[in-house]
Amino acid sequence: MDAFVLIGSFLLLIVLGMPVAYALGLSALIGAFWIDIPFSAMMIQVAGGVSKFSLLAIPFFVLAGAIMAEGGMSRRLIAFAGVLVGFVRGGLSLVNIVASTFFGAISGSSVADTASVGSVMIPEMVKKGYPREFSTAVTVSGSVQALLTPPSHNSVLYSLAAGGSVSIAALFMAGILPGLLMSAALMALCMVFARRRNYPKGKVIPLREALKICVEATWGLMTLVIILGGILSGVFTATESAAIAVLWAFFVTMFIYRDYRWRDLPKLMHRTIRTVSIVMMLIGFAASFGYMLTLMQIPAQITATFMALSDNPTMILLYINIMLLILGTMMDMAPLILILTPILLPVVTSIGVDPVHFGMIMLVNLGIGLITPPVGAVLFVGAAVGKVSIEATIKALLPFYLALFLVLMAVTYIPAISLWLPGLVL
C-alpha cells in the first residue's frame, strides 16, 4: 500500500500535467504524511540532495557547452569532419555523425548537438540532394551519443543517484567505447543507404585548406583533452575539470574564434542559469522521493519481484531494458535517472552487473527514448530544426532505431565494451 500511495500519487500528478520536479516533491510529501514522517525531515533531504560538491560539475559543463555551441564551434567541427569523411559516397551523412561525435564530446548534450549541428548540416544535405526527412533522422540519431561520451551531464546525475558510489571519472571513460560503437553503427547504416540510393560524393578538400580547418578545430577539441587529460593524470577531479573547461571554452570562443559578441554573454548566462535551476530543483526533490523509496523498502520489493520472474541474469537484463525503453518514451531522461537508479541498481548488482556497466545500459536506453515519441525532446528539436513533420521524421528514423537497438544489446551483454577502458586507465 505504501508503494501505491507514493508512486501512484506521482503518476497521478504527472497525468494532471504537473512538472516532473514538483510532482516528485509533492508525492514525497504525500508519502511522508502517509507513513507519518515529519515534513522537516523531507526538507532536510531536499537541502542535502543539492548540497554536494560533485554537483558543481553540472552548471560548469552546461555553461562550457553553451559557450562552445554558440561560439562557432559546431561550424568548425563540421568542417573538420568533412576533411575526414566528406569525400566518400554519402559523405555528408557521415560528416553529420562525425561532427555530432566531436560536438557531443564537448557539449555533453543531445539537444544542443541536434540544434547546433542540425542547423548547419540539414540545409546543406538538402541542398546536395539528400531527402530532408533522412537528413533530420541522421542528425537526431547521431546526437544520442552525446549522452555517453564525456563530459556527459547524465553520467554525473547517475553517479549522484547511485549515492556517489560510482566514480564520475569511471563513467566518463566507460562512455567512450559505447559512444564510438554507436557512431560506427550509424555510419555503416548511412553508407548502405548511400549506395542503395546513390547519394552524392563529396569533394576532396585541398591540403592547405584541410590543414587550416584542422588547426581551427583543434582549439575546440582541446576542451576534451583538457577534461580527460586532467582527470586521468590526477591534476584535477571531474568536478574541477568542469570549471577548467569553462575557462578554456571562454578563452577559445572570445579570443581565438571571436565569432561571439560580448554583449550576448548576459543572455547566455541567463539561459544557463535557468537550465541549471531546473536541474537542481529536480535533484533536490528527487532526493526526498528517493528517501521515501528507501523508507518504504520499495527497491527491495522490486528486486524480489525481478528475481521471482527469473533467476537468469540475461532475462532480467532484458526485462529491465524493455522497461527502460518504454519509460524513456514517456518521461525525460534526468528524472528517470534520479528515480530509477536507486530502484534498479540493487537489482542488477544482485545478479553481478557492475554499477558502471549498468550506467551505460541506462544511458543508452533512455537516450533512445529521447528520440522516440510521445515525449522525445530531441526528436521534437530535430523535427523543428529540419522543418519536417514528426510523422515523417519517425518514419525515416525506423532503420536508425534498429541500429541503436543492436548497439544497446551489445552494450548490455558485452560488459567489456563499457568496462575495458575504465579498467585500463583508472
Side-chain angles (χ1 to χ4, degrees), residues 94 97-98 101 145 177-191 403 407:
L94 304 185
I97 294 171
V98 173
T101 302
Q145 62 195 300
L177 288 184
L180 293 177
L181 177 63
M182 190 175 290
S183 297
L186 294 174
M187 290 174 69
L189 181 61
C190 286
M191 292 179 72
V407 172

Side-chain angles (χ1 to χ4, degrees), residues 46-341:
V46 172
V50 295
S51 301
K52 293 181 172 64
F53 178 75
S54 60
L55 283 180
L56 287 173
I58 295 177
F60 283 130
F61 278 138
V62 170
L63 180 57
I67 292 172
M68 299 301 280
E70 299 187 23
M73 186 70 254
S74 58
R75 177 170 54 82
R76 289 171 173 84
L77 289 177
I78 288 169
F80 180 55
V83 171
L84 299 178
V85 296
F87 54 88
V88 302
R89 184 169 298 283
L92 278 183
S93 60
L94 304 185
V95 169
N96 194 324
I97 294 171
V98 173
S100 288
T101 302
F102 291 141
F103 189 77
I106 292 173
S107 71
S109 167
S110 287
V111 172
D113 193 331
T114 299
S116 299
V117 175
S119 62
V120 177
M121 285 303 306
I122 294 175
E124 185 65 21
M125 291 177 70
V126 172
K127 181 181 176 182
K128 297 297 184 181
Y130 293 80
R132 183 174 290 274
E133 59 272 15
F134 174 79
S135 306
T136 304
V138 172
T139 304
V140 169
S141 59
S143 69
V144 175
Q145 62 195 300
L147 304 168
L148 302 170
T149 52
S152 168
H153 316 147
N154 295 287
S155 293
V156 178
L157 287 179
Y158 174 78
S159 174
L160 170 72
S165 60
V166 184
S167 164
I168 296 175
L171 291 169
F172 280 0
M173 291 295 101
I176 293 176
L177 288 184
L180 293 177
L181 177 63
M182 190 175 290
S183 297
L186 294 174
M187 290 174 69
L189 181 61
C190 286
M191 292 179 72
V192 171
F193 279 126
R195 287 189 173 276
R196 289 184 177 179
R197 300 175 182 177
N198 198 30
Y199 288 148
K201 287 185 177 181
K203 64 177 182 179
V204 177
I205 298 175
L207 180 60
R208 179 174 295 182
E209 183 181 352
L211 290 175
K212 180 182 177 181
I213 290 171
C214 292
V215 169
E216 287 192 345
T218 299
W219 287 102
L221 292 173
M222 279 297 295
T223 309
L224 180 61
V225 175
I226 290 171
I227 293 170
L228 293 183
I231 294 172
L232 296 179
S233 64
V235 174
F236 40 72
T237 65
T239 303
E240 293 164 347
S241 74
I244 301 296
V246 171
L247 295 176
W248 179 256
F250 181 81
F251 170 74
V252 171
T253 298
M254 306 308 296
F255 297 101
I256 303 296
Y257 293 156
R258 292 183 289 184
D259 289 348
Y260 200 71
R261 296 174 297 185
W262 286 85
R263 65 174 179 267
D264 291 334
L265 277 176
K267 295 180 181 178
L268 184 146
M269 293 295 295
H270 180 258
R271 289 193 296 271
T272 301
I273 290 171
R274 285 187 60 186
T275 300
V276 171
S277 298
I278 294 170
V279 172
M280 289 302 176
M281 287 174 58
L282 181 61
I283 290 171
F285 289 136
S288 64
F289 189 84
Y291 176 67
M292 292 306 305
L293 287 173
T294 303
L295 289 181
M296 294 178 175
Q297 299 183 333
I298 294 175
Q301 295 173 27
I302 293 178
T303 300
T305 301
F306 272 106
M307 297 304 292
L309 289 173
S310 174
D311 58 358
N312 186 334
T314 300
M315 293 306 299
I316 292 176
L317 285 175
L318 180 62
Y319 297 148
I320 291 176
N321 275 325
I322 293 171
M323 183 181 72
L324 289 174
L325 285 172
I326 294 173
L327 292 176
T329 67
M330 301 178 182
M331 193 184 298
D332 201 12
M333 188 170 191
L336 281 175
I337 291 174
L338 293 169
I339 295 169
L340 294 178
T341 300

Side-chain angles (χ1 to χ4, degrees), residues 2-16 18 23-24 26-31 289:
D2 292 347
F4 176 78
V5 171
L6 180 66
I7 298 175
S9 61
F10 171 71
L11 295 176
L12 177 61
L13 293 171
I14 290 294
V15 171
L16 293 176
M18 181 175 287
L24 282 170
L26 187 54
S27 59
L29 289 177
I30 293 172
F289 189 84

